[in-house]
Amino acid sequence: MGRIRILSDQVANQIAAGEVVDRPASVVKELLENALDAGANRIRVEVEAGGRKLIRITDDGHGMSRDDALLAFERHATSKLRTADDLLSIATLGFRGEALPSIASVARVTLDTATGDEAAGTHVEIAGGKILHVDDAAVPRGTTLAVADLFFNTPARRKFLRAESTELAHVTALVTHYALVHPGKHFELNSATHTILSAPPVTRTAERIYQIFGKDTLAALLPVAAEMPLAHAGLPEPPPWKRDPEEPARDPGALRLSGFYSKPELQKLNRNSIYIFVNKRLIRDRLLIHAITEAYRNIIPPTSFPVVLLFLEMPPEEVDVNVHPAKTEVRFRQSSVIHDFVRDSLRRALVDARPAAAFLAALDSAPLASPSLMPPPGSPLPGAPADSEPHRPDDGPDDEPEPFQLTPRMPLPVPGKLPFGGDGFRPGSFQPAAGWGTDQQAWGEAAAALFTPPQPAADACSNPLGDAAGFGLSGNGLSPANATAAATAQVEAEQAAATLNHLGSLRPLGQLRESFILAAGDGGLWIIDQHVAHERVLFEKILRDRQVEQVQRQRLLMPMLVELKPAQMVVFAQIAEELERNGFEVEPFGPQILAVKAAPVGLEGLALERMLTQVIEQSGGDSDEVKQNEDLKSLRTRIAASIACHSAIKVNTPLDPARMEWLLLELAKTSHPTSCPHGRPIALLYSWKEIQRAFHRI
């Protein structure tokens, strides 16, 4: 008898489950994507015990007929592919037909579905991959799929699950991500004890961010949008002798980018706060992460990373999503074009925005290793963080299995008794307390305070999911959707006002300990670090001069001798040409000694020696895996940053009013007056509103 045998369908499905399903969040991801592919507008997710005990997802999509409901649990049964050519242009989130049979093989699954066109729906029960019951059921249009006792028949897999609070955090972050990328749909996440997330439909992604995370998070992010036609680099056309003359010309489409990026003041110690969606699919991609970090080069420290929500849209033919079982990794057909487009779009947005760092916010703006978008004041999850493993400060996309780390703002407990009766909330039943007086506005504001932050109300359309009725109006008389839109617009207006576009019109008031310039403007009081401000001015000037080969240099009266280690001499030989292009004239003067005969203007003495050794040491730490052109660009900016740092005005240096005014004018002309080339903030704004609040004027 031969040694090779064909595995049974049950074993094959369990093997597939090991690739697709590794934790409750993976189940939620697959079922949530199926609901979105079914055209659902309202999706409710319920979990118990972090998803170990129960995961139930209810949607109002198009549902399934009886035959389709049974076929859906067969391996590789899908409604989204017909031929192999369809794999080249996948426009849906799911397509393989592996999710449902894989999940059913390791759990107890109950399916209730109806199309609305048939007399009755379908009820299916499956345990461990075996169908137990198939009956007719009176259910509304849509699908409800419950997954109970995950990994009940594979205990080895079950013991690898983390604490309930950790698994619930992964599920919460996953649902939050899909709520962000689908702002026009209603999402709800319930645990066994309370509602974790309730996000009714809104018009824009900015409103969704405000709705879930609150004002402070939205205020720390800036919008970005860009578009590039793919006509110059579209799909390759067949040769003329193979073209069908009657076939219409193919539209190459466009590459669109939208989303939000953090101000330079908001920094993280790892990449876990970079979230990328391609055609509304959450992915991990080293190429795009590199493009984002390159956009922030010389704006934030090289050891820090920004917070980015990036939504990319492109023709399905341009991206291959069939490269990973969990569909979290993709491959782009034109990777270099997409990389440069993302990098340049973000960089251009940073140049145009020029956000000002708030003085009070800068006090607590140290980079954190927290993977959440904005660290919450306290974890709302039971047992966290004691039951959950601590997050490592390692950077890199491989720290976590999936980068599902966003944590939504949790509703605060409401004190006192609320006006809910047996039939729900009755607006007319609420009366002002005696101490509030008879003024309508006063008791209206007090009533609104009871519901802060308010739970967003459900929309006015019929709700097959059975949601409770919303409040209808917010405390200011607006509907929840309009109130969210108004609050979002207010935050965006405040962001537009707090920029560095008016640096040239500031009035210098003096120096603080001969190190910081105090200046007054219409926005409030400005504090400018004179050293890093001059450093930014010199840095951009050096790069401009280097680009046109007009670097100014000065010859030394006597050559300066600099002693190096043998390894540093090897590095010097590699960067000697670039040093010469930046104004240096250096040549070996022995086995371990360099003779410096000329240097850029502004460098002399000990500063010149420190700058040269610093550049050589930093260049020696570069990885051999870095591409040559990237290495040359980083070397160029590194040399320019080092020259600027050692040539700039030092602290404890008195400046006259004319010199301070000149520095502010020159800083206003730079592209990135927000931070120095090493990532330190240049100017902090103590806004007029903050000053008034500090003096109890408002």
Side-chain angles (χ1 to χ4, degrees):
M1 183 177 180
R3 298 189 178 190
I4 298 177
R5 63 183 62 87
I6 298 176
L7 295 175
S8 65
D9 290 341
Q10 182 178 1
V11 176
N13 286 334
Q14 289 185 351
I15 293 175
E19 300 174 344
V20 177
V21 179
D22 61 344
R23 66 191 326 156
S26 302
V27 177
V28 175
K29 176 181 180 295
E30 298 293 342
L31 301 184
L32 201 60
E33 290 178 349
N34 285 343
L36 292 171
D37 286 339
N41 292 316
R42 303 177 64 87
I43 300 175
R44 173 189 287 173
V45 181
E46 301 170 74
V47 294
E48 293 183 15
R52 296 169 179 241
K53 185 176 180 181
L54 176 67
I55 298 171
R56 182 186 292 114
I57 295 184
T58 305
D59 67 72
D60 62 348
H62 53 63
M64 291 182 287
S65 64
R66 184 185 184 95
D67 293 339
D68 286 345
L70 295 176
L71 280 176
F73 291 96
E74 297 293 333
R75 197 174 184 204
H76 300 308
T78 177
S79 62
K80 301 158 188 176
L81 292 179
R82 290 290 184 270
T83 64
D85 293 338
D86 294 340
L87 285 172
L88 302 178
S89 58
I90 296 174
T92 55
L93 296 175
F95 54 91
R96 290 196 186 99
E98 287 184 326
L100 286 182
S102 299
I103 295 170
S105 67
V106 293
R108 309 182 196 275
V109 176
T110 302
L111 171 68
D112 292 290
T113 183
T115 61
D117 300 330
E118 300 178 346
T122 305
H123 173 83
V124 181
E125 292 183 14
I126 299 178
K130 298 180 179 179
I131 298 179
L132 304 181
H133 298 287
V134 180
D135 302 306
D136 292 339
V139 293
R141 180 179 182 269
T143 302
T144 299
L145 204 150
V147 179
D149 300 331
L150 185 64
F151 299 134
F152 79 97
N153 55 352
T154 52
R157 298 286 308 281
R158 189 178 182 87
K159 71 179 183 179
F160 279 97
L161 296 179
R162 303 296 178 89
E164 292 183 7
S165 58
T166 303
E167 300 297 345
L168 182 58
H170 279 273
V171 173
T172 302
L174 175 69
V175 177
T176 304
H177 289 140
Y178 280 98
L180 286 173
V181 77
H182 296 278
K185 299 181 184 294
H186 183 108
F187 286 83
E188 185 176 344
L189 173 62
N190 298 320
S191 70
T193 57
H194 63 288
T195 298
I196 299 176
L197 174 68
S198 180
V202 291
T203 306
R204 300 184 297 136
T205 306
E207 297 173 17
R208 180 71 97 191
I209 292 177
Y210 177 88
Q211 184 184 66
I212 297 177
F213 300 105
K215 176 181 178 180
D216 293 339
T217 299
L218 181 60
L221 300 176
L222 297 171
V224 58
E227 182 175 358
M228 182 186 73
L230 290 173
H232 66 283
L235 290 174
E237 293 290 342
W241 59 87
K242 288 188 177 182
R243 295 180 189 173
D244 185 357
E246 298 180 358
E247 183 179 356
R250 181 164 41 193
D251 182 11
L255 182 62
R256 297 182 181 89
L257 177 148
S258 62
F260 294 83
Y261 62 96
S262 62
K263 299 178 181 179
E265 61 191 87
L266 178 59
Q267 301 170 14
K268 298 291 182 178
L269 290 179
N270 52 35
R271 299 182 178 95
N272 289 341
S273 290
I274 297 178
Y275 309 96
I276 303 170
F277 300 84
V278 173
N279 292 343
K280 297 185 178 182
R281 181 191 304 277
L282 182 63
I283 67 162
R284 296 180 299 169
D285 188 78
R286 292 178 179 269
L287 178 83
L288 294 181
I289 290 178
H290 181 269
I292 292 171
T293 54
E294 281 295 304
Y296 278 84
R297 179 184 289 274
N298 297 119
I299 297 178
I300 62 176
T303 56
S304 299
F305 299 90
V307 175
V308 177
L309 290 171
L310 199 64
F311 307 101
L312 275 172
E313 295 183 13
M314 64 188 71
E317 298 86 358
E318 292 289 333
V319 55
D320 182 9
V321 299
N322 190 28
V323 297
H324 191 275
K327 302 186 293 290
T328 56
E329 297 179 7
V330 298
R331 183 178 294 112
F332 299 105
R333 196 182 68 84
Q334 304 180 75
S335 56
S336 60
V337 172
I338 295 174
H339 174 278
D340 295 346
F341 172 69
V342 171
R343 180 198 62 200
D344 298 341
S345 299
L346 274 180
R347 189 77 173 187
R348 193 179 306 112
L350 282 166
V351 172
D352 295 339
R354 309 181 87 186
F359 176 76
L360 296 181
L363 298 177
D364 300 323
S365 63
L368 301 173
S370 171
S372 57
L373 183 62
M374 290 291 286
S379 176
L381 305 175
D387 291 343
S388 61
E389 61 277 4
H391 294 283
R392 298 167 294 173
D394 306 331
D395 57 35
D398 295 328
D399 295 344
E400 292 288 339
E402 299 176 59
F404 302 146
Q405 302 294 342
L406 278 176
T407 304
R409 177 188 60 176
M410 302 305 298
L412 300 177
V414 181
K417 185 177 180 180
L418 301 181
F420 284 87
D423 54 349
F425 176 62
R426 300 189 301 276
S429 66
F430 184 71
Q431 298 295 332
W436 291 348
T438 58
D439 182 62
Q440 294 288 331
Q441 182 179 1
W443 75 259
E445 293 175 354
L450 288 178
F451 305 103
T452 303
Q455 286 296 318
D459 52 5
C461 61
S462 61
N463 183 2
L465 303 182
D467 292 347
F471 295 151
L473 293 177
S474 61
N476 55 8
L478 298 175
S479 66
N482 292 336
T484 299
T488 302
Q490 181 182 359
V491 173
E492 292 173 340
E494 293 175 357
Q495 286 180 336
T499 65
L500 297 169
N501 293 328
H502 305 290
L503 279 175
S505 62
L506 297 182
R507 301 184 305 276
L509 303 178
Q511 281 182 283
L512 180 62
R513 293 198 174 184
E514 299 180 340
S515 299
F516 299 92
I517 299 174
L518 302 181
D522 294 336
L525 179 66
W526 292 81
I527 305 175
I528 297 99
D529 188 331
Q530 63 189 36
H531 171 68
V532 296
H534 194 209
E535 185 178 346
R536 168 56 69 175
V537 173
L538 292 177
F539 173 73
E540 296 195 8
K541 180 181 182 301
I542 293 169
L543 288 181
R544 289 195 304 269
D545 293 344
R546 165 66 179 80
Q547 188 173 6
V548 296
E549 302 289 346
Q550 292 182 354
V551 178
Q552 297 180 357
R553 68 176 68 188
Q554 60 183 3
R555 297 196 64 85
L556 306 182
L557 294 177
M558 294 289 294
M560 173 181 289
L561 302 182
V562 179
E563 186 174 357
L564 300 178
K565 300 176 182 178
Q568 293 176 330
M569 291 294 293
V570 175
V571 176
F572 165 76
Q574 297 173 351
I575 66 174
E577 183 178 354
E578 186 60 31
L579 286 173
E580 183 179 358
R581 293 178 179 271
N582 281 272
F584 286 92
E585 186 178 336
V586 185
E587 60 183 26
F589 191 73
Q592 296 180 226
I593 298 178
L594 296 179
V596 183
K597 298 181 178 181
V601 174
L603 280 180
E604 57 185 11
L606 188 59
L608 171 58
E609 182 178 355
R610 288 178 177 175
M611 177 266 157
L612 192 59
T613 55
Q614 181 185 56
V615 169
I616 293 176
E617 289 177 358
Q618 293 176 349
S619 302
D622 286 347
S623 173
D624 294 335
E625 299 178 358
V626 180
K627 296 180 181 179
Q628 184 176 0
N629 57 345
E630 293 177 352
D631 186 44
L632 180 60
K633 183 177 180 180
S634 62
L635 174 62
R636 188 174 302 167
T637 56
R638 186 185 305 118
I639 293 175
S642 187
I643 294 174
C645 182
H646 290 86
S647 304
I649 299 171
K650 303 298 187 291
V651 296
N652 301 320
T653 301
L655 302 177
D656 55 40
R659 188 70 183 276
M660 288 187 286
E661 186 174 354
W662 169 86
L663 182 57
L664 293 179
L665 289 173
E666 291 298 316
L667 180 62
K669 298 176 184 177
T670 60
S671 300
H672 300 287
T674 54
S675 57
C676 76
H678 301 97
R680 290 173 294 183
I682 294 176
L684 300 178
L685 171 62
Y686 197 9
S687 68
W688 173 241
K689 189 175 183 180
E690 293 172 341
I691 294 174
Q692 285 182 302
R693 186 180 295 114
F695 283 97
H696 303 285
R697 293 285 185 179
I698 57 175

